[in-house]
Amino acid sequence: MSTLPILFEESGVENASTLRVFLIFEDHREHPKLKGDLALEAARTGFTAAFGKSIWLQDGLGQFHGAVGAGKSDTFGGLRRAAFHAIEKARALRVDEIVFELDESIRPEQAVNLVEGALLSSYSFDTHKKEKTLEEKTAELKRIVILAPDALQGALERGKVLGEAVVFARNLSNEGPSVCTPRWLVEQARERAEAAGMKVTVYDEDELRSRGFNLHLAVARGSEEPARLLHATYTPKGEIKRTIALVGKGITFDSGGYSIKPADSMTDMHIDMGGGAAVIGAMAAIGELKPEHVQVHFIVPAAENLISGNAYKVNEIIRGLSGKTVEIHNTDAEGRLLLADALTYATQQKVDEIIDCATLTGAAVVGLGEQTAGVFSPDNDFRNALVNAANTADELLWPMPLVERIEPSLKSRVADLKNIGGRWGGAISAALFLKHFVGETRWAHIDLAGPAMADSAWEYINAGGTGYGVLLLTQYIESQSAAQKR
Ligand code: BES
Ligand code: ZN
Ligand code: ZN
């Protein structure tokens, strides 16, 4: 994988061809730098400072200068998009570096977005691609420089932490399933967590068995790759006023098991750990940002859903960690099984609230499309708080209903529950299934089967694993930390 180096000071490289840009908002177009020839160019082209619009001039030394439209000054995530458009322009001009010159008109949270946008726009997962030719390398943008007043330096550092956390999640998601196995996934997370000084426990298959994670183990049974569960804990300095568990589905490949997926639906099922990647990415960010007053448990159950003589079967009855029994009607509804045990485990940590993230159902993608995730919770205030955090983070999240009248579809003749509901409302019956395992703990479930992966790029969101969820989870945790100070 690669991202461009991002420097917060002049690079000092001589003879580099450069594009120097400043950002300008649609509603603040009286920018002091928009003068002389640039002002004429703005008038000539009808420049409005909308996203995707920009103006450029080349000086006598061959260097490029320009203004980049940043849209409305109160748009969430707006500067991420502006950074993307400027970087696209720099690439088209084939310069070596782009220099963003920020001034006091940029608010700290916007500077954060700019750095995130710069990092994410320059991301590519090229670990397994052949070396680029010399010609390709010379035509590439090499550096991104961001110059800002001292007052924005903290915001730049924060943007870097957040952008890199999303990049980390993207890298985990983009690795193929022969590399990104349950063991590898939790190992990457363990290293990060330990480096940040968190307490980390990784449960192996023996430990999971002796504790009774039988639903999780049933899913893993068809694979040579053993199951794992990651539990990392961030503990703030000083008083703990709130404890939150983030639980992420970590299926590193979902073949469907004996209820096997058709070939086309199996493509990209290495992304089935996208919820786990969101939780691990948020863990990386929280480990660096170190919010006060909130303790956060990061829990990722990991397994592969494959087929073998030992794989779990339809009509099997399994007693999970909660003590409830589940009759398997479809081995492709595996995510809710390992989440059932992981949610039970999360409640055992005596947390105030639990948020789980999972690429849980195709129905969520049908309902909401590929860009938007759905959030379910019996607690409307909690659900709304997550939607607010997502809005601030500029990740698309929409409230979904836990329709109780669908509940009877989960009844089994022989067990406490069966693992699928009826034909319609599949994202809802999946959420209702999970609800059986959270007891009285405040809980929300995010189905991110759509946005975890992109078939084609949209601005700063690359094709492939997107790292969706990292920003909204981190934003939510930080908002809870800030609320405790009041
Ligand atoms: N991992 C899939 C859901 C999924 C679909 C993720 C598309 C990403 C993109 C999940 O395990 C699954 O297979 N769900 C089934 C449930 C059904 C059998 C009740 C589905 O959605 O078809
Ligand atoms: Zn499945
Ligand atoms: Zn799955």
Side-chain angles (χ1 to χ4, degrees), residues 411-452:
K411 281 213 165 84
S412 160
R413 198 165 39 81
V414 290
D416 298 329
L417 282 168
K418 69 180 163 79
N419 79 328
I420 57 169
R423 178 157 177 207
W424 309 113
I428 301 172
S429 50
L432 287 170
F433 180 89
L434 296 180
K435 187 166 169 272
H436 285 271
F437 300 92
V438 294
E440 296 303 309
T441 311
R442 181 148 53 160
W443 158 77
H445 156 61
I446 296 178
D447 193 332
L448 41 73

Side-chain angles (χ1 to χ4, degrees), residues 230-284:
L230 170 91
H231 178 186
T233 311
Y234 164 74
T235 303
K237 286 214 177 75
E239 193 190 349
I240 298 171
K241 295 188 181 164
R242 192 69 163 264
T243 54
I244 303 173
L246 304 182
V247 180
K249 172 177 172 182
I251 292 289
T252 58
F253 189 74
D254 183 9
S255 72
Y258 275 107
S259 311
I260 194 165
K261 288 180 183 293
D264 283 350
S265 309
M266 209 185 291
T267 308
D268 292 335
M269 273 304 136
H270 66 299
I271 213 70
D272 215 14
M273 35 58 75
V279 168
I280 295 169
M283 180 198 85

Side-chain angles (χ1 to χ4, degrees), residues 281-463:
M283 180 198 85
I286 296 297
E288 299 230 9
L289 298 172
K290 304 202 186 300
E292 292 180 285
H293 306 309
V294 277
Q295 183 179 58
V296 191
H297 295 264
F298 302 92
I299 299 167
V300 178
E304 273 187 340
N305 187 20
L306 296 188
I307 286 175
S308 79
N310 195 35
Y312 79 135
K313 307 171 196 74
V314 172
N315 290 118
E316 250 183 67
I317 300 165
I318 303 158
R319 187 180 300 278
L321 185 62
S322 70
K324 290 181 182 164
T325 55
V326 179
E327 185 190 9
I328 307 304
H329 274 224
N330 191 313
T331 61
D332 197 11
E334 84 299 337
R336 63 197 75 182
L337 299 174
L338 85 165
L339 283 174
D341 282 347
L343 289 170
T344 306
Y345 176 77
T347 61
Q348 292 173 352
Q349 311 311 307
K350 305 258 176 291
V351 292
D352 296 316
E353 54 194 38
I354 303 174
I355 304 166
D356 79 73
C357 287
T359 48
L360 203 61
T361 65
V365 195
V366 173
L368 294 163
E370 286 180 300
Q371 278 75 29
T372 309
V375 55
F376 300 81
S377 177
D379 180 328
N380 287 348
D381 292 340
F382 189 26
R383 199 186 61 195
N384 293 341
L386 283 164
V387 171
N388 288 340
N391 285 340
T392 306
D394 204 32
E395 291 189 313
L396 301 181
L397 182 70
W398 208 253
M400 294 282 283
L402 282 165
V403 182
E404 286 299 328
R405 292 184 199 180
I406 293 181
E407 178 61 39
S409 68
L410 292 169
K411 281 213 165 84
S412 160
R413 198 165 39 81
V414 290
D416 298 329
L417 282 168
K418 69 180 163 79
N419 79 328
I420 57 169
R423 178 157 177 207
W424 309 113
I428 301 172
S429 50
L432 287 170
F433 180 89
L434 296 180
K435 187 166 169 272
H436 285 271
F437 300 92
V438 294
E440 296 303 309
T441 311
R442 181 148 53 160
W443 158 77
H445 156 61
I446 296 178
D447 193 332
L448 41 73
M453 169 136 195
D455 284 339
S456 53
W458 176 84
E459 299 197 342
Y460 57 85
I461 299 174
N462 64 311

